[in-house]
Amino acid sequence: MTARAALVVASAALLTACSTTVPGTAVVDPAAVPKPDYGSNRIEPRDVGTADTALGLVLEGRRMAATAPLLFTIDPTIRYNSQVETGRLNSGQRSVKFMIGQLGADAFRDHEVGFFIGASDQQPGVRSSSTTISRGSTVGVLRMPSPARAAAAVTVGLRGREPDATADTPEKKAIAIPGYDTAIGYSQAFKTGTPNVAFLAYKQYVIFSYGSFSPEQIRKYFDAQTKGLDGFTPTPVDRLTTLPVDDSGVAKYTLPPSTEDPTRTGTLPIAVALQNQLDVTSAKKSFDDAGVDAVGVGNSTVYRAKDAAAAVRMQRSFVDDVRGFYSTNTPIAAKNIPGVVCMVLPMYPGSSITTNWCIATAGRFVVEVAAGQQQQAVQRIGAEYLILRDAK
């Protein structure tokens, strides 16, 4: 039964249940309107709370990341699978060691906070392997305790041999970055590509680039990043917990973050939200067309557009992109949510690794959710629709 038909049936049931004639306009009891399946999810706005130390570091990292240029403005091909990591970058795939090696981790071990932004030229939904040759770059900024500490950390020692290097590990060969004589740069000729790496001490920051950017493109990135940092006022470490979590008031409409990553919460700067998209170039056009002025995150992502028509256009653009990338998608039914789209997305054609994704609109808001199980995705988008239905 469609949502429209269900509403008609519910209205008829109300009329037959009441024999009293009351003058005026009939109003359907909201309790009788069929609701989507929302499982055990909350269906009211949440209290995002205040920042603890871990969240404060993430929020400050987001503020810093908003000073970075969009990577496709440096290289138009570097636009896909973009991802931003912020905070105290010292664990797992969020760590300095994972991104730039043990020598970098040792040199910058006392950094206070930072960010990484990475993207590539490889479209989503395409199978890759260890021999796949693609272009990609990761850039970032680490805030050191002082300008002196930043300068002391960027030395020729970064061009040394990594402690875990093997006999097959290529040597680091020095490269120069035009216009930045104090930068430390090198390249390494791996079988799958030759990344260029460069570090620059600027004020109390270490700016770096790792990947396919040429020395001239690294110069362009350094130019843009130093300009962005010139307009940035850092928050002292002992004041990070005072940073607002949801200054836009949009994150309160998202589902609570998972216990696996409680720092995935709050308002994202628009630039940071853009650099977390499958295709940043396409997303930028969608954001601009829809007039997106706020993005909130939790265990879902909510975008606030200028009006309801703009929200529908944005949803349509996102769906077109996803269907284009994941051509073997399978539809999922989600009842009683007008205009909702849900799909099973395989990592690549034939892959058993899948994501269940849903996107819907409610008024001027666009919301998307993802989950490992179909029912989870359907229930999350159902809860989000109920949360956003009366939002302003």
Side-chain angles (χ1 to χ4, degrees), residues 130-155:
S130 59
T131 59
T132 298
I133 297 177
S134 62
R135 302 186 71 256
S137 286
T138 297
V139 302
V141 175
L142 301 173
R143 189 177 89 190
M144 304 297 286
S146 67
R149 187 67 193 89
V154 179
T155 70

Side-chain angles (χ1 to χ4, degrees), residues 87 115 147 227 241 250 261 276 281:
F115 71 84
K227 183 178 180 180
T241 56
V250 172
D261 186 6
N276 267 321
T281 301

Side-chain angles (χ1 to χ4, degrees), residues 350-364:
S351 174
S352 61
I353 301 174
T354 60
T355 296
N356 300 283
W357 176 77
C358 294
I359 186 167
T361 64
R364 65 185 293 202

Side-chain angles (χ1 to χ4, degrees), residues 255-303:
L255 299 177
S258 69
T259 55
E260 294 178 0
D261 186 6
T263 65
R264 182 179 164 77
T265 189
T267 294
L268 291 182
I270 298 297
V272 176
L274 275 171
Q275 302 214 86
N276 267 321
Q277 301 294 322
L278 288 178
D279 181 347
V280 181
T281 301
S282 179
K284 178 70 164 58
K285 294 177 182 177
S286 297
F287 274 49
D288 290 347
D289 172 70
V292 174
D293 68 352
V295 179
V297 294
N299 210 359
S300 54
T301 303
V302 172
Y303 308 86

Side-chain angles (χ1 to χ4, degrees), residues 123-125 278 315-332 339-346 357 359:
Q123 293 189 18
L278 288 178
Q315 180 202 27
R316 187 179 303 125
S317 176
F318 275 28
V319 169
D320 287 346
D321 281 350
V322 170
R323 283 178 174 155
F325 293 134
Y326 299 95
S327 58
T328 58
N329 67 81
T330 304
I332 304 172
V340 68
V341 176
C342 292
M343 292 180 268
V344 181
L345 307 176
W357 176 77
I359 186 167

Side-chain angles (χ1 to χ4, degrees), residues 109-347:
R109 60 183 175 276
D110 59 347
H111 78 275
E112 297 174 338
V113 62
F115 71 84
F116 300 143
I117 302 172
S120 76
D121 67 349
Q122 186 170 349
Q123 293 189 18
V126 176
R127 185 172 189 174
S128 62
S129 69
S130 59
T131 59
T132 298
I133 297 177
S134 62
R135 302 186 71 256
S137 286
T138 297
V139 302
V141 175
L142 301 173
R143 189 177 89 190
M144 304 297 286
S146 67
R149 187 67 193 89
V154 179
T155 70
V156 294
L158 293 169
R159 286 202 292 255
R161 194 159 180 80
E162 295 289 340
D164 59 355
T166 67
D168 296 329
T169 302
E171 295 295 325
K172 297 177 179 179
K173 295 185 178 180
I175 60 171
I177 307 303
Y180 291 93
D181 294 340
T182 60
I184 299 297
Y186 64 84
S187 66
Q188 281 184 284
F190 293 97
K191 292 180 180 179
T192 55
T194 304
N196 292 317
V197 188
F199 304 89
L200 176 71
Y202 183 73
K203 298 182 177 179
Q204 71 180 101
Y205 307 99
V206 173
I207 305 172
F208 76 89
S209 174
Y210 184 107
S212 300
F213 284 168
S214 68
E216 179 59 27
Q217 288 172 326
I218 294 175
R219 178 203 63 76
K220 187 176 180 182
Y221 166 63
F222 282 173
D223 285 349
Q225 186 63 79
T226 54
K227 183 178 180 180
L229 289 171
D230 283 342
F232 179 75
T233 301
T235 306
V237 172
D238 61 358
R239 298 285 295 168
L240 294 178
T241 56
T242 68
L243 289 171
V245 180
D246 187 23
D247 51 352
S248 73
V250 172
K252 68 184 178 185
Y253 299 128
T254 65
L255 299 177
S258 69
T259 55
E260 294 178 0
D261 186 6
T263 65
R264 182 179 164 77
T265 189
T267 294
L268 291 182
I270 298 297
V272 176
L274 275 171
Q275 302 214 86
N276 267 321
Q277 301 294 322
L278 288 178
D279 181 347
V280 181
T281 301
S282 179
K284 178 70 164 58
K285 294 177 182 177
S286 297
F287 274 49
D288 290 347
D289 172 70
V292 174
D293 68 352
V295 179
V297 294
N299 210 359
S300 54
T301 303
V302 172
Y303 308 86
R304 187 171 65 193
K306 60 187 176 184
D307 55 39
V312 170
R313 291 197 305 273
M314 184 175 183
Q315 180 202 27
R316 187 179 303 125
S317 176
F318 275 28
V319 169
D320 287 346
D321 281 350
V322 170
R323 283 178 174 155
F325 293 134
Y326 299 95
S327 58
T328 58
N329 67 81
T330 304
I332 304 172
K335 298 180 179 179
N336 303 322
I337 307 172
V340 68
V341 176
C342 292
M343 292 180 268
V344 181
L345 307 176
M347 180 178 290

